[in-house]
Amino acid sequence: MREIAPDGITGMPSRTAAYLCRQIAGLVNVGRLSPETCQRIFAFCGISPSDSQWRQFLIPVLCCLGLLSLVAGAVFFIAWNWAWLPKMAKFALTELLIVALAVVVWWRWYSTLARSALLAAGLSFGALFALYGQIYQTGADSWELFRAWLCILLPLALIARQNSLWFCSWLVANLAFQLYYTATLPTSLLELAVSDSFFWLPTTVLHVYLALLAACLIIREFLACRAITHHPESWLASRWFSRVMAGFLLLLLTAIVAGNISDGHGANHFTLVTGGWVATLLAGYYLYRYRHVDLCMLTLGITSLTIVGCALIMQLFLVAYVTADLYLTGVLMIFWVAANGSILLKWQRKLAEKGPLDQAPAGLTFLADALRHQGLLSDAQIREIQQRGHASNLPWYLRLALSVGGWVAAIITLLLMALVLYSTDLLDDPNAVTLIGPSLVLAVIARGLLRSDRDGKYHLGLAWAIAATCGLVIGVVLQIQSDDVSFMMLSSLCALPILAAMAVAMPDSTYRFMAITALTFFLVLAGYLLSLLYLSPTAGRVAVSLLVAAVMFLWLWIVSHQLRLLAGPYADAVHPLLYGIPAGLMVLSSLGINAAVLMNLLWSSAQFSMLPPATGTGIAAGLVLSALSQKKSSQPLFSIITLPAAVICGAAALYAPGIGLGLWLILMARYQGSPGLLVVSGGFMVLYVIGWYYFLEVLLLHKALLLLAGGLILLGLAWVVTKVLPAQIGGASENA
C-alpha cells in the first residue's frame, strides 16, 4: 500500500507483516499451527484489522474515492452537454468544484485529504478545458487542450510531491504527443505501437521522443535510488511509477524492433532504435540483477525479449506456409516462451535464496521475535518458517507474466493440434474424438509436468493444461447444433464440468485460479441464457439474481472460514476460490456493460440488457444476506461496519454492479491485508467507470448524478467514520 500513498496513512499492514503471515498460514495447512492461534497472529500483525485500524484505512480511502467520484461525475455531466443551462452557469459549476477542492487543500494542507483534493483539482482542470472547447468551439486541436492541461499539472506535481500527480503529468504529456501526430498521421500512437504503421512516424521525431522517455526514466530511477538509500519512506522510493514508465518504453521499443524483424525486406528500418533496445536490455539486466535488484523490471525485459524472439523465429523459419515450416515455427515458439519463463523462475529462486524479495531481513527477525515474546510462535515454528524457503512465493507480476506466457503457448499448441488434424484430413469430418482425444492426452502430460519441481517443465505444463482445457471445451462445443442463444447456453453448460474436472486434476494454484474464474463466469452466464429461453423476464431476473447472490454468499463464507478450511482436506482449493470467484464476478460485471461488443464478436442475437440489473441485484442481495448471517452468528467480517458497508455497496451495485463490487473488494483487500488486491480493485473500478461511460442502457445524466451523489455520500461516510470508530491505533509496532 506504500506505493499508493507513500506517507503510509492508509492503515494497511506492512509488507513484512503481510509476508510473514503468508508464511505462517502455511503452518496451518500442514497442521503445525491451529487456526485460532493463526487468527491471533493476524490480529497482532495488523492483517485482521481492529476498529481503530479500520478507521485509519477508511478515512483516506473514502476521501480519495469520494473526491475522484465527484470529478468523474463532473466530467460525465459536462459530456452530457446540457443545452438549457447558460454558459456562465456551466463554467460556474465546474469552477466551483475546483475552488472547493482548493479550499480543502489550503485548509488541510498536511493531511491525506488535501493530497487527494490536490489530485482531484488537477484532474478537474481537464474537465474545465474540455468544457471551454465544447462551448466556444475554438477550432483548436485536441492536443492543445492536453498541452494546456499539462501546464497546470506540472506545477501541482511539483507542489504536491506525490507519484499520482507526476503520473498524470507523464500520461497527459504522452497523450498530447499522440494527439498531435494523430492530426498529421493516419493512425494514433497506440495503433502505431502495435502495427507496422510506426514507420509513418518521422525518424528524428521518434528518436527524440524515445530519448525523452528514457531520460525521464533515468532521472526517476536516480532519484528513487537516492531516496531508498537515505529516505526509504519518501514518496520517491515507491517503485510502481518507474515500472510503468519502463513498461511503456519497452512496449514502444519492442514494437519497433519486432516490426524491423517482420519487415525483413523493408526499406525503412529504425536500426538505431534496435541498438537502443539491445543496450536497454543489457543495462537493465546489469542494474536490476546485480546493483539494485528488481525482479519486476527483469520480468519486463524478459517479456520484451520473448516477443522479439517470437518475431525472429517466425521470420527465420516461416519461409513458406507449408506444413513442415508451420510445425517447426510453432514448436520453437512454444519452447522459446517456456525457456524465458524458466529463466524468470530461476532468477526468482536465486534471489529468494538470499531472503524474501522486497523485504528487510531485520524487519522479519524483529517481528518474529515479537511473536515469540507474545507466546504466539515457538522457536521450532520460527525455524520451520525459515526453512520453508521463499522461492514458492511468486510476486504478482511474475505470476501474471507466467500466465500470459502460458496462454500464448497454449494458443500455439492448439493451432499445432489443429494443423495435425488438418494434415491428417481429420478436420474434414470433425467429431468428438477428433479434438477431445488429443486434449485428454495433453492433459495427462500437463498434470505430470505440473508436478515437477523444474521451472521449465512447470511453465510448459501450465501452457499445456490451458491448451488441454480449451481443446476439451472446443471439442464438445463443435458437436452442438442449435441457434445462437441455445448454442451459447449449451456451450456454457458444457464448459462447467470440464472446468471443474480440470481444476481438480491440475495441481497448480495459478491454473486453478483461472479455471475457477472461468467457472464462475460461465455458471452465471449459463443461468442467464437459460432464463432467457425458459422464463419470463421478471422470473428470469429473479432467478439470475438468486444465482449471483448464492455465488456471493459462498465466496464470503469461504472468506470468513478460510483459516479453518486451510487446516482441512480441501486446503489447496481455498486460495483459488478466494480470488477466482470475485475475478469471475468482475468479468461478469464488465460483460454487462460491454454486451454489444460480445454480440458482434459472436454474431449472436442474444439480449444482454437484463444481465446488469440482475447481476447488481444479486450482488446486493448476497452482500446483505451474508452480513445478516454473520451478524446472527456474531462473526462479522468487518466488525461493526459489516452491515452498513454491505448496504452501501449493495445500493451502489443496484445501479452499477461493478462499482458496488469494486467498493466491496476494496474493503476485502484491507480485511485480507493484501495491497495487490487493493490495486486490482482500484484498477477494476477505474476501467469499469470508463466502460460505463459508453453503456447506453443508462443515461449520461443519470450516471453523472449517481457519481456526484456517490462522491458526496463517500465524503459524508468519511466524516461519520471519524466520529464512530476509535482513533487509538493498536496492534504491533511494525504496523504503526
Side-chain angles (χ1 to χ4, degrees):
M1 186 62 191
R2 192 194 318 173
E3 293 186 353
I4 297 175
D7 49 11
I9 316 177
T10 56
M12 289 294 289
S14 68
R15 293 180 181 178
T16 303
Y19 171 81
L20 185 61
C21 287
R22 286 197 302 270
Q23 296 291 95
I24 291 171
L27 297 180
V28 178
N29 194 1
V30 297
R32 297 281 291 121
L33 192 69
S34 67
E36 293 76 16
T37 303
C38 186
Q39 185 61 50
R40 291 175 58 196
I41 293 175
F42 281 8
F44 179 83
C45 294
I47 299 297
S48 298
S50 62
D51 288 345
S52 59
Q53 289 169 330
W54 271 119
R55 182 184 193 273
Q56 193 182 17
F57 172 78
L58 285 174
I59 292 175
V61 168
L62 289 174
C63 290
C64 182
L65 289 176
L67 292 172
L68 293 180
S69 181
L70 288 177
V71 173
V75 172
F76 281 30
F77 201 48
I78 292 170
W80 180 51
N81 195 11
W82 59 113
W84 51 268
L85 201 62
K87 297 177 182 178
M88 291 301 105
K90 297 178 183 181
F91 281 113
L93 289 175
T94 308
E95 292 169 355
L96 182 62
L97 175 61
I98 297 176
V99 171
L101 293 171
V103 170
V104 171
V105 173
W106 173 78
W107 179 42
R108 298 281 186 177
W109 173 243
Y110 291 104
S111 69
T112 305
L113 176 62
R115 298 170 63 84
S116 301
L118 200 57
L119 172 62
L123 297 176
S124 299
F125 275 102
L128 178 62
F129 293 145
L131 177 62
Y132 182 82
Q134 180 189 87
I135 290 178
Y136 291 108
Q137 298 294 321
T138 60
D141 292 326
S142 299
W143 72 271
E144 295 180 274
L145 182 150
F146 284 89
R147 183 186 61 185
W149 192 6
L150 180 62
C151 294
I152 297 294
L153 285 173
L154 279 176
L156 293 179
L158 289 169
I159 294 172
R161 291 181 293 177
Q162 57 176 298
N163 284 307
S164 55
L165 270 169
W166 278 110
F167 171 72
C168 290
S169 303
W170 175 83
L171 182 62
V172 168
N174 280 282
L175 287 173
F177 177 85
Q178 170 188 343
L179 292 171
Y180 175 76
Y181 274 96
T182 299
T184 58
L185 297 175
T187 51
S188 68
L189 184 62
L190 181 60
E191 294 170 322
L192 294 173
V194 295
S195 69
D196 292 338
S197 299
F198 230 119
F199 296 119
W200 289 94
L201 202 63
T203 304
T204 303
V205 172
L206 177 62
H207 289 166
V208 172
Y209 176 60
L210 293 175
L212 286 175
L213 287 176
C216 291
L217 176 60
I218 292 171
I219 293 172
R220 180 64 178 79
E221 284 293 79
F222 174 75
L223 295 174
C225 291
R226 285 178 55 88
I228 291 172
T229 303
H230 302 289
H231 304 286
E233 298 301 323
S234 168
W235 63 278
L236 285 171
S238 177
R239 299 294 303 145
W240 69 267
F241 188 21
S242 297
R243 292 168 179 174
V244 171
M245 296 173 70
F248 183 69
L249 176 61
L250 279 175
L251 171 66
L252 298 183
L253 292 174
T254 304
I256 296 171
V257 175
N260 287 345
I261 294 173
S262 301
D263 188 23
H265 303 287
N268 188 10
H269 278 188
F270 296 102
T271 53
L272 184 60
V273 175
T274 303
W277 173 76
V278 174
T280 300
L281 290 187
L282 292 176
Y285 173 74
Y286 172 75
L287 179 64
Y288 298 116
R289 178 69 175 84
Y290 298 107
R291 300 287 295 177
H292 304 283
V293 175
D294 192 326
L295 187 60
C296 183
M297 291 293 198
L298 294 174
T299 302
L300 293 174
I302 287 293
T303 302
S304 175
L305 186 64
T306 303
I307 296 172
V308 172
C310 288
L312 182 61
I313 290 171
M314 292 182 64
Q315 186 65 28
L316 291 178
F317 296 98
L318 195 58
V319 180
Y321 289 96
V322 296
T323 304
D325 290 338
L326 290 172
Y327 282 144
L328 181 60
T329 302
V331 171
L332 288 176
M333 289 176 67
I334 289 174
F335 281 99
W336 175 249
V337 172
N340 284 304
S342 177
I343 290 173
L344 279 175
L345 288 171
K346 289 183 183 298
W347 285 350
Q348 189 268 341
R349 290 181 185 275
K350 288 183 178 180
L351 294 175
E353 289 174 359
K354 303 176 182 179
L357 296 174
D358 300 328
Q359 309 298 332
L364 284 172
T365 303
F366 173 78
L367 190 54
D369 290 341
L371 291 172
R372 182 175 60 240
H373 291 321
Q374 292 290 328
L376 298 175
L377 284 180
S378 65
D379 291 335
Q381 289 170 332
I382 293 176
R383 284 195 299 270
E384 185 173 349
I385 292 173
Q386 294 172 344
Q387 293 171 358
R388 290 173 63 88
H390 314 293
S392 59
N393 293 275
L394 299 182
W396 67 268
Y397 46 83
L398 186 53
R399 290 186 181 274
L400 178 62
L402 294 176
S403 300
V404 173
W407 270 102
V408 172
I411 293 172
I412 298 173
T413 302
L414 287 173
L415 293 176
L416 289 178
M417 190 185 302
L419 185 62
V420 171
L421 297 176
Y422 172 77
S423 61
T424 56
D425 297 328
L426 292 177
L427 285 182
D428 294 339
D429 185 20
N431 53 60
V433 181
T434 302
L435 199 56
I436 294 177
S439 298
L440 288 173
V441 174
L442 203 62
V444 173
I445 299 174
R447 176 179 168 84
L449 292 174
L450 287 174
R451 289 183 176 274
S452 174
D453 294 331
R454 299 189 63 178
D455 299 331
K457 290 184 177 181
Y458 165 79
H459 197 196
L460 197 59
L462 178 61
W464 285 0
I466 297 171
T469 306
C470 295
L472 290 172
V473 173
I474 294 173
V476 173
V477 168
L478 287 176
Q479 312 308 311
I480 300 174
Q481 301 293 332
S482 62
D483 58 27
D484 289 335
V485 177
S486 299
F487 174 79
M488 293 181 64
M489 181 266 295
L490 293 173
S491 301
S492 301
L493 288 176
C494 291
L496 295 178
I498 295 173
L499 289 168
M502 292 292 287
V504 173
M506 296 299 159
D508 179 64
S509 59
T510 301
Y511 174 83
R512 286 173 174 166
F513 163 76
M514 292 188 287
I516 291 171
T517 299
L519 189 67
T520 304
F521 171 74
F522 282 115
L523 175 65
V524 179
L525 182 62
Y528 175 75
L529 295 172
L530 279 170
S531 69
L532 285 180
L533 290 173
Y534 302 111
L535 297 176
S536 65
T538 303
R541 177 173 177 175
V542 172
V544 176
S545 299
L546 290 175
L547 178 60
V548 175
V551 172
M552 286 289 299
F553 193 90
L554 172 64
W555 172 48
L556 295 177
W557 182 85
I558 293 172
V559 171
S560 60
H561 295 80
Q562 56 184 297
L563 290 178
R564 294 188 179 278
L565 293 173
L566 282 174
Y570 305 106
D572 292 340
V574 173
H575 284 99
L577 286 169
L578 202 62
Y579 298 105
I581 292 176
L585 292 174
M586 289 161 63
V587 176
L588 186 70
S589 299
S590 299
L591 170 67
I593 60 174
N594 295 285
V597 177
L598 182 70
M599 290 169 62
N600 293 333
L601 180 65
L602 299 178
W603 297 92
S604 171
S605 60
Q607 300 298 318
F608 286 88
S609 60
M610 293 301 297
L611 183 59
T615 302
T617 304
I619 292 173
L623 289 176
V624 174
L625 289 175
S626 180
L628 291 174
S629 174
Q630 292 164 11
K631 184 177 181 180
K632 184 177 180 180
S633 61
S634 300
Q635 294 180 339
L637 282 178
F638 308 147
S639 184
I640 62 175
I641 69 170
T642 302
L643 186 57
V647 172
I648 294 169
C649 294
L654 291 175
Y655 295 95
I659 294 178
L661 179 63
L663 290 173
W664 186 261
L665 285 174
I666 289 175
L667 296 176
M668 289 301 306
R670 179 58 192 95
Y671 179 77
Q672 296 289 113
S674 173
L677 182 57
L678 185 63
V679 174
V680 170
S681 304
F684 166 69
M685 285 192 64
V686 171
L687 294 176
Y688 183 87
V689 170
I690 293 173
W692 192 47
Y693 177 88
Y694 299 100
F695 182 51
L696 299 179
E697 298 296 327
V698 180
L699 294 178
L700 198 55
L701 174 62
H702 294 169
K703 299 173 189 175
L705 294 178
L706 177 62
L707 287 171
L708 291 171
L712 294 175
I713 291 173
L714 290 172
L715 292 175
L717 288 174
W719 179 81
V720 171
V721 167
T722 61
K723 301 298 181 182
V724 174
L725 295 181
Q728 293 79 14
I729 299 177
S733 59
E734 171 70 11
N735 302 288

